[in-house]
Amino acid sequence: MNFRDAAIRLVILVAILAAWQYAADRVIGTFWISSPSLIAERLWLLHRNGDLYWHAEMTVWQAFVGLVFGLVVGVALGLLLGAMPRVASIVDPFIMALYSLPRVALAPLFILWFGIGLLSKVVMVFSLVFIVFVLNTMNGLREIDRDLISLMRTMRAPWPYVIRKVQLPSVVPWVFAALRISIGLAMIGSVLGELLGANRGLGWYIEDAGGKLDTTGVFAGLVALMIVAVLANEIVKLLERWALGAGRRQGVE
Amino acid sequence: MAPKLSIEQVSMEYGSKRLGRTKVLDTIDLTLADGEFLAIVGPSGSGKSTLLKLISGLERPTAGRILLDGESVTAPPPGVGFMFQRDALLPWATVAENIDVGHELAGIPREERPDRVAALIRLLGLGGFERHYPAALSGGMRQRVSLGRLLAYGPQLYLMDEPFGALDAQTKLLMGQELLRIWTTHRKSVVFVTHDIDEAVALSDRVVIMSSRPGRIKTEVAIDLPRPRDARRIRRTAEFRDIADLLWRELMGEDEEVSA
């Protein structure tokens, strides 16, 4: 990224905000679309009284816990199914059916079963992300050079050795690809759960503000969500660069 | 002395009853003495790679049996090392780490491994590349690493499936020379599959020629060229040319049969 691009971006951002501010003050009215200055003011207030972090913490925590469970269970299940191709081909239609189901439609059930606390959101996030990890892990296993597995067999490598030395490293780039997709999904799951039933979280704050016809509150919540999502993506990028760089898995010097 | 390896009446079929079965190997009988360097030459479809897979225990024959040191092979046995045409290196491991895989799987104590790796690096002329990843190496160097891993594993029987088949002509010659130099020092048994007659004659004690579809043993020729040999220079001798010509004629006869 160079300075020129950054400057252009800044100009675009300022133009959008200015147009918004003008439309809010002179054309449409702040009741409908709030305004950048009101939103900034609200965010400042939420920052000062700590509410911003109180809500964001909940949303992020739910997404994070669900994501971690999804990753661990998904990768483990992917490795297991990869080791048992016959079982994998039998259960494949079930996995695809689950994958095709718009899982957000499960949210009311999860709230019914697990209440309006942490658990229902974690389960929601988990249900959105774990299949992505299963499918990507299995793909990664399928990409492994078959000669490599044959070679390990001729040298009588015990299976934990093959998992550690061959399968896990092959799967790592695929898990990171799944992680990049899953970050967005996890945020969706976490916020969706809060929209439907919660008493804390950015999703809940947005829902609550909407109910009070407080557009400024809705937009403040959205901006906070955007910042959280961008930060999460940057963290995954850093992790990926570190993990793949350390082992130079792509083999590029 | 009992043979290192004996292959008795071995046949191999692939496929299913419904889709029809293909016979890849037809009643192969073959023995290998301890310390012998055997080359198997044949056109594609002669089942030579399949034969190596059966010897290594990666696959089981549909008929007959394979004895290694007098014991029937039913799964990959200890002391057998395989080298493929493709290097099959771990792309995420360095040259030194890839070679060390052989030590780890042979159960060499951890404290001995660094010195052994260093010795192999020196033996194979890989000095300075210890910390390189396979993607940064040429095909020839990758096969050196692959050979290093095989030597690190220290098998009693080397199964080599066209190990230098993907290399350019000069590198192939050079690798043959190195293999011969290393083999001369420890004299382990080798089964070397190739479709290159000159390579087979230059390296081996005995060449088996196979015919294709189904694979059968057509002829065996003992290579009475003096040892130690220089795999490159020996090709210019008259004796070498005579044997190679004889083997060529045997192989060509095979082609005439196929086209007839």
Side-chain angles (χ1 to χ4, degrees):
Chain A
M1 192 174 75
N2 54 42
F3 279 115
R4 206 186 152 79
D5 288 359
I8 293 172
R9 280 176 196 143
L10 191 65
V11 169
I12 293 172
L13 182 69
V14 169
I16 290 172
L17 290 178
W20 186 356
Q21 187 73 46
Y22 179 80
D25 290 342
R26 305 283 158 91
V27 189
I28 307 173
T30 52
F31 175 78
W32 299 106
I33 58 169
S34 185
S35 81
S37 60
L38 285 173
I39 295 164
E41 213 178 293
R42 178 66 62 88
L43 283 170
W44 179 248
L45 179 76
L46 291 172
H47 160 72
R48 289 291 297 274
N49 68 16
D51 276 6
L52 182 60
Y53 307 106
W54 161 257
H55 291 303
E57 187 193 329
M58 195 63 189
T59 305
V60 170
W61 180 240
Q62 288 162 177
F64 178 76
V65 174
L67 197 60
V68 168
F69 272 112
L71 186 147
V72 171
V73 175
V75 171
L77 195 62
L79 289 175
L80 206 64
L81 288 175
M84 302 183 296
R86 182 149 167 71
V87 177
S89 83
I90 288 174
V91 302
D92 181 65
F94 298 109
I95 291 180
M96 287 323 286
L98 269 182
Y99 185 62
S100 317
L101 180 76
R103 276 147 290 155
V104 290
L106 294 172
L109 264 188
F110 291 152
I111 295 198
L112 188 71
W113 288 344
F114 305 114
I116 62 164
L118 178 70
L119 187 58
S120 59
K121 279 65 164 190
V122 167
V123 174
M124 186 70 237
V125 171
F126 176 85
S127 78
L128 280 171
V129 302
F130 100 98
I131 291 181
V132 180
F133 287 105
V134 174
L135 293 179
N136 269 33
T137 302
M138 288 175 71
N139 254 333
L141 289 179
R142 245 176 266 138
E143 294 278 303
I144 295 176
D145 185 352
R146 295 186 56 148
D147 281 354
L148 205 47
I149 300 289
S150 294
L151 186 100
M152 287 289 163
R153 281 182 59 210
T154 62
M155 296 199 285
R156 299 156 58 86
W159 65 264
Y161 186 87
V162 178
I163 289 184
R164 187 162 54 86
K165 284 279 182 160
V166 183
Q167 297 191 321
L168 281 181
S170 310
V171 150
V172 165
W174 290 84
V175 172
F176 270 105
L179 197 55
R180 260 181 279 128
I181 299 167
S182 297
I183 287 276
L185 288 175
M187 293 299 290
I188 290 174
S190 186
V191 169
L192 181 83
E194 289 168 359
L195 290 177
L196 292 185
N199 49 28
R200 188 184 157 186
L202 290 173
W204 175 83
Y205 182 81
I206 290 169
E207 168 70 12
D208 185 59
K212 293 174 184 157
L213 307 180
D214 170 18
T215 17
T216 302
V218 173
F219 277 112
L222 287 174
V223 171
L225 275 179
M226 201 152 65
I227 292 169
V228 168
V230 168
L231 282 180
N233 269 318
E234 290 302 315
I235 290 171
V236 170
K237 264 193 220 161
L238 279 179
L239 270 179
E240 188 170 10
R241 203 173 306 156
W242 170 75
L244 299 187
R248 259 174 267 189
R249 280 155 223 284
Q250 310 306 336
V252 183
E253 277 289 272
Chain B
M1 197 171 76
K4 176 75 186 164
L5 173 75
S6 66
I7 298 168
E8 300 174 352
Q9 300 278 306
V10 162
S11 296
M12 185 65 179
E13 289 179 3
Y14 283 117
S16 63
K17 276 209 178 93
R18 203 161 59 81
L19 295 168
R21 300 179 70 83
T22 318
K23 201 159 206 176
V24 183
L25 288 173
D26 190 16
T27 42
I28 304 288
D29 278 293
L30 193 62
T31 59
L32 180 74
D34 200 13
E36 186 180 10
F37 196 128
L38 175 77
I40 300 179
V41 181
S44 39
S46 56
K48 37 193 202 313
S49 294
T50 305
L51 190 57
L52 280 196
K53 280 192 185 132
L54 296 179
I55 298 170
S56 70
L58 283 175
E59 291 183 29
R60 304 274 310 268
T62 37
R65 59 176 192 163
I66 292 169
L67 299 177
L68 180 72
D69 297 319
E71 292 202 26
S72 187
V73 173
T74 54
V80 174
F82 211 122
M83 188 165 165
F84 297 93
Q85 180 174 350
R86 295 177 47 232
D87 50 70
L89 297 176
L90 299 172
W92 41 81
T94 61
V95 165
E97 287 164 353
N98 265 298
I99 291 175
D100 217 21
V101 165
H103 290 140
E104 283 174 352
L105 291 174
I108 308 288
R110 184 174 291 275
E111 60 275 14
E112 287 179 29
R113 294 198 323 234
D115 287 346
R116 287 183 176 230
V117 169
L120 283 169
I121 298 260
R122 238 177 294 127
L123 178 70
L124 293 161
L126 288 165
F129 293 94
E130 292 88 341
R131 303 182 68 179
H132 282 58
Y133 288 86
L137 304 180
S138 67
M141 291 187 60
R142 285 216 285 268
Q143 275 308 44
R144 276 168 204 265
V145 180
S146 183
L147 182 58
R149 175 177 58 191
L150 186 64
L151 292 168
Y153 186 58
Q156 301 301 307
L157 173 61
Y158 286 70
L159 304 176
M160 309 184 88
D161 190 359
E162 301 192 38
F164 313 136
L167 306 178
D168 62 78
Q170 293 101 307
T171 314
K172 190 175 180 177
L173 261 178
L174 227 66
M175 289 299 287
Q177 254 177 317
E178 300 230 343
L179 177 64
L180 214 49
R181 181 169 61 88
I182 293 162
W183 178 81
T184 309
T185 62
H186 64 41
R187 295 264 175 171
K188 298 290 196 291
S189 312
V190 180
V191 181
F192 189 99
V193 162
T194 177
H195 52 242
D196 180 340
I197 288 180
D198 284 6
E199 189 181 33
V201 175
L203 299 179
S204 69
D205 297 319
R206 184 159 55 112
V207 177
V208 167
I209 290 199
M210 293 188 68
S211 66
S212 60
R213 294 191 186 88
R216 288 199 186 95
I217 291 182
K218 198 169 180 191
T219 342
E220 277 187 42
V221 178
I223 311 296
D224 293 321
L225 298 171
R227 289 207 190 264
R229 294 178 201 159
D230 180 313
R232 193 160 54 89
R233 275 199 211 123
I234 196 142
R235 291 173 197 238
R236 283 185 237 138
T237 64
E239 295 91 329
F240 179 92
R241 291 267 48 105
D242 287 347
I243 297 171
D245 284 345
L246 173 73
L247 291 174
W248 262 112
R249 280 198 300 277
E250 293 287 351
L251 259 185
M252 295 307 269
E254 153 72 14
D255 279 356
E256 277 157 23
E257 271 170 42
V258 169
S259 59

